[in-house]
Every structure is written in C-alpha cells, then in structure tokens.
Amino acid sequence: MEEESLPLHLGFIVDGNRRWAKDRGLPTLEGHRRGLKQVEEVAEECFKRGVKFASFFLFSTENWSRSQEEVGYLMKLVILNVDRLAKKMLKNNTRLAILGGRERVSEEVLAAVDKAEEMTAGCTGGTMGVCFNYGGRDEIVQAIRKMAEQSMEISEEGVAKSLYHPEIPDCDMIVRTSGERRISGFMLWRAAYSEFLFLDKMWPDMTKKDVGDILNEYARRNRRFGK
C-alpha cells in the first residue's frame, strides 16, 4: 500500500472482551487475557504495514466502577505483562506510550508502566499508545490546567501541546469492535476529523487480516477536512 494512502495514526477502542468470554462459557477474566494478546498482535501488524502510531483504549476512568475482582485482575495483567511487552517492543524498535491520569493507580502499577515507557523511549519504528486510566474529557481538562499553571495563551495549538504525549498526532481513523457505535470519550481532541469504522466482531477475534481490511477501507475514504 502506498504511503500516502496509509493512516499515520490508527486508534482502536478495544471492546467485547467480556461478551466474547461469556459467549464461550469462559470466565470474564479470560476475555481480558485474550484481548491483551490481540492488542499485541494488532499493534505489531500495524507497524509491519507502515502505520507509525497505533493507540488502544484499554481502561477508562469509568472502568473503576467495575467489580473489585475484575479491576484487580486487570491491574495484575498490567504488572505481569508490561515488562515482557516492553522487552518485545524494544527488540522490534517500537515505543510504548501510556496516556492517562495517575490518580487511583497503585504505586506498583505506576512503577511498572514508567519503567516500560523508559525502556522503549528511544525506539523509532512505531509508537503504541495505551490509553490506561484515560478519559477524553479529563485529558482536555488536564491540558487546560497545565496551560493555566504555565500561563500559556489559550489556543488550539496550546491545548494540543499540553495533551498526554503531545507528539502523538490526531487519529486518522478510529476503529471500535463489538458492534457498538460510539466512541466513549476516546481521543476526543484528536478525533476532530477522524474517520470511524465500527466492526461487529468482538475484540479477541481480531486478526492480522482485519488490520489489512481496515487499511484498505481507510484508503477508500475521501478525507476533505471541511474543504
């Protein structure tokens, strides 16, 4: 695929892990485990095909309201996997960037994700953005607070530079799985001119072929940016 027809930044709203497990008579936690595996596979395929940024909405600020068992398992998944993931990404020259607030997240989890980010900071082959403890409105509020603290002029450029990981560009296309047709606060600032694609399949069923289909669909879109 020609470079000009490729999205610079693909965003994924990872949805359907729990329903995938329920449909198969499996524990909810197994859906999350399988979902994380597919996040890695999809990210790798994006970078292999020339996408520079791939972001995944994994845990929202609203997800704290889920059961203590489920939230605890998700935090455990982070601790058990983020170091392994970072080492794998380092080998592949890809970078990990965590987007989200630090409130309510344990020191153990924060230490693990900080170490993973630092480990891959110098990698240049692609950036995997992980939206963790993330809310789109909260990101904008935090950006405005940062601007106020630094006495910055209020402008679109200023907000963009004050977001989590401001080097990550606007989303060219946002993909949501599981048949839901909403963005649930994902990348609200960066989604201003995003293309949207809603897939009926559950996230754990995503494959490398789906990445190719998504890129083909993006290439067919006519992006006019209001012109």
Coordinates of all heavy atoms in Angstrom, one line a residue, residues 69-155:
E69 N -12.9 -7.5 41.8 CA -12.2 -8.7 41.3 C -11.7 -8.4 39.9 O -10.6 -8.7 39.5 CB -13.1 -9.9 41.3 CG -12.4 -11.2 40.7 CD -13.4 -12.3 40.4 OE1 -14.6 -12.1 40.4 OE2 -12.9 -13.5 40.3
E70 N -12.6 -7.8 39.0 CA -12.2 -7.6 37.7 C -11.2 -6.5 37.6 O -10.2 -6.6 36.8 CB -13.5 -7.2 36.8 CG -13.2 -7.0 35.4 CD -14.4 -6.7 34.5 OE1 -15.5 -6.7 35.1 OE2 -14.2 -6.4 33.3
V71 N -11.3 -5.4 38.3 CA -10.3 -4.3 38.3 C -9.0 -4.8 38.8 O -7.9 -4.6 38.2 CB -10.8 -3.1 39.1 CG1 -9.7 -2.1 39.3 CG2 -12.0 -2.5 38.5
G72 N -9.0 -5.6 39.9 CA -7.8 -6.2 40.4 C -7.1 -7.1 39.4 O -5.9 -7.0 39.3
Y73 N -7.9 -7.9 38.7 CA -7.3 -8.7 37.7 C -6.6 -7.9 36.5 O -5.5 -8.2 36.1 CB -8.3 -9.7 37.1 CG -7.8 -10.6 36.0 CD1 -7.1 -11.8 36.4 CD2 -8.0 -10.4 34.7 CE1 -6.6 -12.6 35.4 CE2 -7.4 -11.2 33.7 CZ -6.7 -12.4 34.1 OH -6.2 -13.2 33.2
L74 N -7.3 -6.9 36.1 CA -6.8 -6.0 35.1 C -5.4 -5.4 35.5 O -4.5 -5.3 34.7 CB -7.8 -4.9 34.7 CG -9.0 -5.5 33.9 CD1 -10.1 -4.4 33.8 CD2 -8.6 -6.0 32.5
M75 N -5.4 -4.9 36.7 CA -4.1 -4.3 37.3 C -3.0 -5.4 37.3 O -1.9 -5.1 37.0 CB -4.4 -3.7 38.6 CG -5.3 -2.6 38.7 SD -4.9 -1.2 37.6 CE -6.3 -1.0 36.6
K76 N -3.4 -6.6 37.7 CA -2.4 -7.7 37.7 C -1.9 -8.0 36.3 O -0.7 -8.3 36.1 CB -3.1 -8.9 38.3 CG -2.1 -10.1 38.5 CD -2.8 -11.3 39.2 CE -1.9 -12.4 39.4 NZ -2.5 -13.6 40.1
L77 N -2.8 -7.9 35.3 CA -2.4 -8.2 33.9 C -1.4 -7.2 33.5 O -0.4 -7.5 32.8 CB -3.6 -8.1 33.0 CG -4.4 -9.3 32.7 CD1 -5.5 -9.0 31.7 CD2 -3.5 -10.4 32.1
V78 N -1.5 -5.9 33.9 CA -0.6 -4.9 33.6 C 0.8 -5.2 34.2 O 1.8 -5.2 33.5 CB -1.0 -3.5 34.1 CG1 0.1 -2.5 33.9 CG2 -2.3 -3.1 33.4
I79 N 0.8 -5.5 35.5 CA 2.1 -5.8 36.2 C 2.8 -7.0 35.6 O 4.0 -7.0 35.4 CB 1.8 -6.0 37.7 CG1 1.3 -4.7 38.3 CG2 3.1 -6.5 38.4 CD1 0.8 -4.9 39.7
L80 N 2.0 -8.0 35.2 CA 2.6 -9.3 34.7 C 3.1 -9.2 33.3 O 3.9 -9.9 32.9 CB 1.6 -10.4 34.8 CG 1.2 -10.9 36.3 CD1 0.1 -12.0 36.2 CD2 2.5 -11.4 37.0
N81 N 2.5 -8.2 32.5 CA 2.8 -8.2 31.1 C 3.5 -7.0 30.6 O 4.1 -7.1 29.5 CB 1.4 -8.3 30.3 CG 0.8 -9.7 30.4 OD1 1.2 -10.6 29.6 ND2 -0.1 -9.9 31.3
V82 N 3.5 -5.9 31.3 CA 4.1 -4.7 30.7 C 5.6 -4.8 30.5 O 6.1 -4.3 29.5 CB 3.7 -3.4 31.5 CG1 4.4 -3.4 32.8 CG2 3.9 -2.2 30.7
D83 N 6.3 -5.4 31.4 CA 7.7 -5.6 31.3 C 8.1 -6.5 30.1 O 9.0 -6.2 29.3 CB 8.4 -6.1 32.6 CG 9.9 -6.2 32.5 OD1 10.5 -5.2 32.4 OD2 10.4 -7.3 32.4
R84 N 7.3 -7.6 30.0 CA 7.5 -8.5 28.9 C 7.2 -7.8 27.5 O 8.0 -7.9 26.6 CB 6.6 -9.7 29.0 CG 6.6 -10.7 27.8 CD 5.5 -11.7 27.9 NE 4.2 -11.0 27.9 CZ 3.6 -10.5 26.8 NH1 4.2 -10.6 25.7 NH2 2.4 -10.0 27.0
L85 N 6.1 -7.0 27.5 CA 5.8 -6.3 26.3 C 6.9 -5.3 25.9 O 7.2 -5.2 24.8 CB 4.4 -5.6 26.5 CG 4.0 -4.7 25.4 CD1 3.7 -5.4 24.1 CD2 2.7 -3.9 25.8
A86 N 7.4 -4.6 26.9 CA 8.4 -3.5 26.6 C 9.7 -4.2 26.1 O 10.3 -3.6 25.1 CB 8.7 -2.8 27.9
K87 N 10.1 -5.3 26.6 CA 11.3 -6.0 26.1 C 11.0 -6.5 24.6 O 11.9 -6.4 23.8 CB 11.6 -7.2 27.0 CG 12.1 -6.8 28.3 CD 12.4 -8.0 29.2 CE 12.9 -7.6 30.6 NZ 13.0 -8.7 31.5
K88 N 9.8 -6.9 24.4 CA 9.5 -7.3 23.0 C 9.5 -6.1 22.1 O 10.0 -6.2 20.9 CB 8.1 -8.0 23.0 CG 7.7 -8.6 21.7 CD 6.3 -9.3 21.9 CE 5.8 -9.9 20.6 NZ 4.5 -10.5 20.8
M89 N 8.9 -5.0 22.5 CA 8.9 -3.8 21.7 C 10.3 -3.3 21.5 O 10.6 -2.7 20.4 CB 8.0 -2.8 22.3 CG 6.5 -3.2 22.4 SD 5.4 -2.0 23.1 CE 5.4 -0.7 21.8
L90 N 11.1 -3.3 22.5 CA 12.5 -2.8 22.4 C 13.2 -3.6 21.3 O 13.9 -3.1 20.4 CB 13.2 -3.0 23.7 CG 14.6 -2.5 23.8 CD1 14.7 -1.0 23.5 CD2 15.2 -2.8 25.2
K91 N 13.0 -4.9 21.3 CA 13.6 -5.8 20.2 C 13.1 -5.4 18.8 O 13.9 -5.5 17.9 CB 13.3 -7.3 20.5 CG 13.9 -8.3 19.6 CD 13.6 -9.7 20.0 CE 14.2 -10.7 19.1 NZ 13.9 -12.1 19.4
N92 N 11.8 -5.0 18.8 CA 11.2 -4.6 17.5 C 11.4 -3.1 17.1 O 10.8 -2.7 16.1 CB 9.8 -5.0 17.4 CG 9.5 -6.5 17.5 OD1 10.4 -7.3 17.0 ND2 8.4 -6.9 18.1
N93 N 12.1 -2.4 18.0 CA 12.4 -1.0 17.8 C 11.0 -0.2 17.8 O 10.9 0.8 17.0 CB 13.2 -0.7 16.5 CG 13.6 0.8 16.4 OD1 13.9 1.4 17.4 ND2 13.7 1.3 15.2
T94 N 10.1 -0.6 18.6 CA 8.8 0.2 18.8 C 8.7 0.7 20.2 O 9.2 0.1 21.1 CB 7.6 -0.7 18.4 OG1 7.7 -1.9 19.1 CG2 7.6 -1.0 16.9
R95 N 8.0 1.8 20.3 CA 7.9 2.6 21.6 C 6.6 2.4 22.2 O 5.5 2.4 21.6 CB 8.2 4.0 21.3 CG 8.2 4.9 22.5 CD 8.7 6.3 22.1 NE 7.7 7.0 21.3 CZ 7.0 8.0 21.8 NH1 7.1 8.5 23.0 NH2 6.1 8.6 21.0
L96 N 6.6 2.4 23.6 CA 5.3 2.3 24.3 C 5.1 3.7 25.0 O 6.0 4.3 25.6 CB 5.4 1.2 25.4 CG 4.2 1.1 26.4 CD1 3.0 0.6 25.6 CD2 4.6 0.1 27.5
A97 N 3.8 4.2 24.8 CA 3.5 5.4 25.4 C 2.1 5.2 26.1 O 1.2 4.8 25.6 CB 3.3 6.5 24.3
I98 N 2.1 5.6 27.4 CA 0.9 5.4 28.2 C 0.2 6.8 28.3 O 0.8 7.8 28.8 CB 1.2 4.9 29.7 CG1 2.1 3.6 29.6 CG2 0.0 4.7 30.5 CD1 1.4 2.5 29.0
L99 N -1.1 6.8 28.0 CA -1.9 8.0 28.0 C -2.9 7.9 29.1 O -3.8 6.9 29.0 CB -2.5 8.3 26.7 CG -1.6 8.6 25.5 CD1 -1.2 7.3 24.8 CD2 -2.4 9.5 24.5
G100 N -2.9 8.8 30.1 CA -3.9 8.7 31.1 C -3.5 9.3 32.4 O -2.3 9.7 32.6
G101 N -4.4 9.5 33.3 CA -4.0 10.0 34.6 C -3.4 9.0 35.6 O -3.4 7.8 35.3
R102 N -2.8 9.5 36.6 CA -2.1 8.7 37.6 C -3.0 8.5 38.9 O -2.6 7.7 39.7 CB -0.8 9.2 37.9 CG 0.1 9.4 36.7 CD 1.4 10.1 37.0 NE 2.4 9.3 37.7 CZ 3.2 8.4 37.2 NH1 3.3 8.2 35.9 NH2 4.1 7.8 38.0
E103 N -4.1 9.2 39.0 CA -4.9 9.1 40.2 C -5.5 7.7 40.3 O -5.9 7.1 39.3 CB -6.1 10.1 40.1 CG -5.6 11.5 40.1 CD -5.2 12.0 38.7 OE1 -5.4 11.2 37.7 OE2 -4.7 13.1 38.5
R104 N -5.6 7.1 41.5 CA -6.2 5.8 41.8 C -5.3 4.6 41.4 O -5.6 3.5 41.8 CB -7.6 5.7 41.2 CG -8.5 6.8 41.7 CD -9.9 6.6 41.2 NE -10.6 5.4 41.8 CZ -11.8 5.0 41.6 NH1 -12.6 5.7 40.7 NH2 -12.3 4.0 42.2
V105 N -4.3 4.9 40.6 CA -3.4 3.8 40.1 C -2.4 3.5 41.2 O -1.8 4.4 41.7 CB -2.8 4.1 38.8 CG1 -1.9 2.9 38.3 CG2 -3.8 4.5 37.7
S106 N -2.2 2.2 41.5 CA -1.3 1.9 42.6 C 0.2 2.2 42.2 O 0.5 2.3 41.1 CB -1.4 0.4 42.9 OG -0.8 -0.4 41.9
E107 N 1.0 2.4 43.2 CA 2.4 2.7 43.0 C 3.1 1.6 42.3 O 4.0 1.8 41.4 CB 3.1 2.9 44.4 CG 2.7 4.2 45.1 CD 3.1 5.5 44.2 OE1 4.1 5.5 43.6 OE2 2.3 6.4 44.2
E108 N 2.7 0.3 42.5 CA 3.3 -0.8 41.9 C 3.0 -0.8 40.4 O 3.9 -1.0 39.6 CB 2.7 -2.1 42.5 CG 3.4 -3.4 41.9 CD 2.8 -4.6 42.5 OE1 1.8 -4.6 43.2 OE2 3.4 -5.7 42.3
V109 N 1.8 -0.5 40.0 CA 1.4 -0.4 38.6 C 2.1 0.8 37.9 O 2.7 0.7 36.8 CB -0.1 -0.3 38.4 CG1 -0.5 0.0 36.9 CG2 -0.8 -1.5 38.9
L110 N 2.1 2.0 38.6 CA 2.8 3.1 38.0 C 4.3 2.9 37.8 O 4.8 3.3 36.8 CB 2.6 4.3 39.0 CG 1.2 4.9 39.1 CD1 1.2 6.0 40.1 CD2 0.8 5.5 37.7
A111 N 4.9 2.2 38.7 CA 6.3 1.9 38.6 C 6.6 1.0 37.4 O 7.6 1.2 36.6 CB 6.9 1.2 39.9
A112 N 5.7 0.0 37.2 CA 5.8 -0.9 36.1 C 5.7 -0.2 34.7 O 6.5 -0.4 33.8 CB 4.8 -2.0 36.2
V113 N 4.7 0.6 34.6 CA 4.4 1.3 33.3 C 5.5 2.4 33.1 O 5.9 2.6 31.9 CB 3.0 1.9 33.2 CG1 2.0 0.8 33.3 CG2 2.8 3.0 34.3
D114 N 6.0 3.1 34.1 CA 7.0 4.1 33.9 C 8.3 3.4 33.4 O 9.0 3.9 32.6 CB 7.3 4.8 35.3 CG 6.2 5.8 35.6 OD1 5.3 6.0 34.8 OD2 6.2 6.2 36.8
K115 N 8.6 2.3 34.0 CA 9.8 1.5 33.6 C 9.7 1.1 32.2 O 10.7 1.2 31.4 CB 10.0 0.3 34.5 CG 11.2 -0.6 34.1 CD 11.3 -1.8 35.0 CE 12.5 -2.7 34.6 NZ 12.5 -3.9 35.4
A116 N 8.5 0.6 31.7 CA 8.3 0.2 30.4 C 8.4 1.3 29.4 O 9.1 1.2 28.3 CB 6.9 -0.5 30.2
E117 N 7.9 2.5 29.7 CA 8.0 3.6 28.9 C 9.5 4.1 28.7 O 9.9 4.3 27.6 CB 7.2 4.8 29.4 CG 5.7 4.8 29.1 CD 5.1 6.1 29.4 OE1 5.2 6.6 30.5 OE2 4.4 6.7 28.5
E118 N 10.2 4.1 29.8 CA 11.6 4.5 29.8 C 12.4 3.5 29.0 O 13.3 3.9 28.2 CB 12.1 4.6 31.2 CG 13.5 5.1 31.3 CD 14.0 5.2 32.7 OE1 13.2 5.0 33.7 OE2 15.2 5.4 32.9
M119 N 12.1 2.2 29.1 CA 12.9 1.2 28.4 C 12.8 1.4 26.9 O 13.7 1.1 26.2 CB 12.3 -0.2 28.8 CG 13.2 -1.4 28.3 SD 12.4 -3.0 28.7 CE 12.2 -2.8 30.5
T120 N 11.6 1.8 26.4 CA 11.4 1.9 24.9 C 11.5 3.3 24.4 O 11.2 3.5 23.2 CB 10.0 1.3 24.5 OG1 9.0 2.1 25.1 CG2 9.9 -0.2 25.0
A121 N 11.9 4.3 25.2 CA 11.8 5.7 24.8 C 12.6 6.0 23.6 O 12.2 6.9 22.8 CB 12.3 6.5 26.0
G122 N 13.7 5.3 23.3 CA 14.5 5.7 22.2 C 14.1 4.9 20.9 O 14.8 5.1 19.9
C123 N 13.1 4.1 20.9 CA 12.7 3.3 19.8 C 12.0 4.2 18.7 O 11.3 5.1 19.0 CB 11.8 2.2 20.2 SG 12.6 1.0 21.2
T124 N 12.2 3.9 17.4 CA 11.8 4.8 16.4 C 10.9 4.1 15.3 O 10.5 4.7 14.3 CB 13.0 5.4 15.6 OG1 13.8 4.3 15.1 CG2 13.8 6.3 16.6
G125 N 10.6 2.8 15.5 CA 9.9 2.0 14.5 C 8.4 2.1 14.5 O 7.7 1.4 13.7
G126 N 7.9 2.9 15.5 CA 6.4 3.0 15.6 C 6.1 3.2 17.1 O 6.9 2.8 18.0
T127 N 5.0 3.8 17.4 CA 4.6 4.1 18.8 C 3.2 3.4 19.1 O 2.2 3.7 18.4 CB 4.5 5.6 19.0 OG1 5.8 6.2 18.9 CG2 3.9 5.9 20.4
M128 N 3.2 2.6 20.1 CA 2.0 2.0 20.6 C 1.5 2.8 21.8 O 2.1 2.9 22.8 CB 2.2 0.6 21.0 CG 1.0 -0.1 21.6 SD 1.5 -1.8 22.1 CE 0.0 -2.4 22.9
G129 N 0.4 3.5 21.6 CA -0.2 4.3 22.6 C -1.2 3.4 23.4 O -2.1 2.8 22.8
V130 N -1.1 3.4 24.7 CA -2.0 2.6 25.5 C -2.8 3.6 26.4 O -2.2 4.3 27.3 CB -1.3 1.6 26.4 CG1 -2.3 1.0 27.4 CG2 -0.7 0.5 25.5
C131 N -4.1 3.7 26.2 CA -5.0 4.6 27.0 C -5.4 3.9 28.2 O -6.2 3.0 28.2 CB -6.2 5.1 26.2 SG -5.7 6.2 24.8
F132 N -4.8 4.2 29.4 CA -5.0 3.5 30.6 C -5.3 4.5 31.7 O -4.6 5.5 31.9 CB -3.7 2.7 30.9 CG -3.7 2.0 32.3 CD1 -4.4 0.8 32.4 CD2 -3.0 2.5 33.3 CE1 -4.4 0.2 33.6 CE2 -3.0 1.9 34.6 CZ -3.7 0.7 34.7
N133 N -6.4 4.2 32.4 CA -7.0 5.2 33.3 C -7.2 6.5 32.6 O -6.8 7.6 33.0 CB -6.1 5.5 34.5 CG -6.8 6.2 35.7 OD1 -8.0 6.2 35.8 ND2 -6.0 7.0 36.4
Y134 N -7.8 6.4 31.4 CA -7.9 7.5 30.4 C -9.4 7.9 30.3 O -10.3 7.1 30.2 CB -7.4 7.1 29.1 CG -7.6 8.1 28.0 CD1 -6.6 9.0 27.7 CD2 -8.8 8.1 27.2 CE1 -6.8 10.0 26.7 CE2 -8.9 9.0 26.2 CZ -8.0 10.0 26.0 OH -8.2 10.9 25.0
G135 N -9.6 9.2 30.2 CA -10.9 9.8 29.8 C -10.6 11.0 28.9 O -9.8 11.8 29.2
G136 N -11.4 11.1 27.8 CA -11.1 12.1 26.8 C -11.4 13.5 27.3 O -10.6 14.4 27.1
R137 N -12.5 13.7 28.1 CA -12.7 15.0 28.7 C -11.7 15.3 29.7 O -11.2 16.5 29.8 CB -14.1 15.0 29.3 CG -15.2 15.0 28.3 CD -16.6 15.0 29.0 NE -17.7 15.1 28.0 CZ -19.0 15.0 28.3 NH1 -19.3 14.8 29.6 NH2 -19.9 15.1 27.4
D138 N -11.3 14.3 30.5 CA -10.3 14.6 31.6 C -9.0 15.0 31.0 O -8.3 15.8 31.5 CB -10.1 13.3 32.4 CG -9.2 13.5 33.6 OD1 -9.5 14.3 34.4 OD2 -8.1 12.8 33.6
E139 N -8.6 14.4 29.8 CA -7.4 14.8 29.2 C -7.4 16.2 28.8 O -6.4 16.9 29.0 CB -7.1 13.9 27.9 CG -5.9 14.3 27.2 CD -5.6 13.4 25.9 OE1 -6.6 13.0 25.3 OE2 -4.5 13.2 25.5
I140 N -8.5 16.7 28.3 CA -8.6 18.1 27.9 C -8.5 19.0 29.1 O -7.9 20.1 29.1 CB -9.9 18.3 27.0 CG1 -9.8 17.6 25.7 CG2 -10.1 19.8 26.8 CD1 -11.1 17.5 24.9
V141 N -9.3 18.6 30.2 CA -9.2 19.4 31.4 C -7.8 19.5 31.9 O -7.3 20.6 32.3 CB -10.2 18.8 32.5 CG1 -9.9 19.4 33.8 CG2 -11.6 19.0 32.0
Q142 N -7.1 18.4 32.0 CA -5.7 18.4 32.5 C -4.8 19.2 31.6 O -3.9 19.9 32.1 CB -5.2 16.9 32.5 CG -5.9 16.0 33.5 CD -5.9 16.5 34.9 OE1 -5.0 17.2 35.4 NE2 -7.0 16.2 35.6
A143 N -5.1 19.2 30.3 CA -4.3 20.1 29.4 C -4.5 21.6 29.7 O -3.5 22.4 29.7 CB -4.6 19.8 27.9
I144 N -5.7 22.0 29.9 CA -6.1 23.4 30.2 C -5.5 23.8 31.6 O -4.9 24.9 31.7 CB -7.6 23.6 30.2 CG1 -8.1 23.4 28.7 CG2 -7.9 25.0 30.7 CD1 -9.6 23.4 28.6
R145 N -5.5 22.9 32.5 CA -4.9 23.2 33.8 C -3.4 23.4 33.7 O -2.8 24.3 34.3 CB -5.1 22.0 34.8 CG -6.5 22.0 35.4 CD -6.7 20.8 36.3 NE -8.0 20.8 36.9 CZ -8.5 19.7 37.5 NH1 -7.8 18.6 37.7 NH2 -9.7 19.8 38.1
K146 N -2.8 22.6 32.9 CA -1.3 22.7 32.6 C -1.0 24.0 32.0 O 0.0 24.7 32.3 CB -0.9 21.5 31.7 CG 0.6 21.5 31.4 CD 1.0 20.3 30.5 CE 2.5 20.3 30.2 NZ 2.8 19.1 29.4
M147 N -1.9 24.4 31.0 CA -1.7 25.7 30.4 C -1.8 26.9 31.3 O -1.0 27.8 31.3 CB -2.7 25.9 29.2 CG -2.5 24.9 28.1 SD -3.8 24.9 26.9 CE -3.6 26.5 26.2
A148 N -2.8 26.8 32.2 CA -3.0 27.8 33.2 C -1.8 27.9 34.2 O -1.4 29.0 34.5 CB -4.3 27.5 34.0
E149 N -1.3 26.8 34.6 CA -0.2 26.7 35.5 C 1.1 27.4 34.9 O 1.9 28.0 35.6 CB 0.1 25.3 36.0 CG -0.9 24.7 36.9 CD -0.8 23.2 37.1 OE1 0.2 22.6 36.5 OE2 -1.5 22.6 37.8
Q150 N 1.2 27.2 33.6 CA 2.4 27.7 32.9 C 2.1 29.1 32.2 O 2.9 29.6 31.5 CB 2.8 26.7 31.8 CG 3.3 25.4 32.5 CD 3.7 24.4 31.4 OE1 3.7 24.7 30.2 NE2 4.0 23.2 31.8
S151 N 0.9 29.7 32.5 CA 0.5 31.0 32.0 C 0.6 31.0 30.5 O 1.0 32.0 29.9 CB 1.4 32.1 32.6 OG 1.2 32.1 34.0
M152 N 0.2 29.9 29.8 CA 0.2 29.8 28.4 C -1.1 30.5 27.8 O -2.1 30.5 28.4 CB 0.2 28.3 28.0 CG 1.5 27.6 28.3 SD 1.4 25.8 28.0 CE 1.1 25.8 26.2
E153 N -0.9 31.0 26.6 CA -2.1 31.6 25.9 C -3.0 30.5 25.5 O -2.6 29.4 25.1 CB -1.6 32.3 24.7 CG -2.7 32.9 23.9 CD -2.2 33.6 22.6 OE1 -1.0 33.6 22.4 OE2 -3.1 34.0 21.8
I154 N -4.3 30.7 25.8 CA -5.3 29.7 25.4 C -5.5 29.7 23.9 O -5.9 30.6 23.3 CB -6.6 30.0 26.1 CG1 -6.5 30.0 27.6 CG2 -7.7 28.9 25.8 CD1 -5.9 28.8 28.3
S155 N -5.1 28.5 23.3 CA -5.3 28.4 21.9 C -5.4 26.9 21.5 O -5.0 26.0 22.4 CB -4.1 29.0 21.1 OG -2.9 28.3 21.5

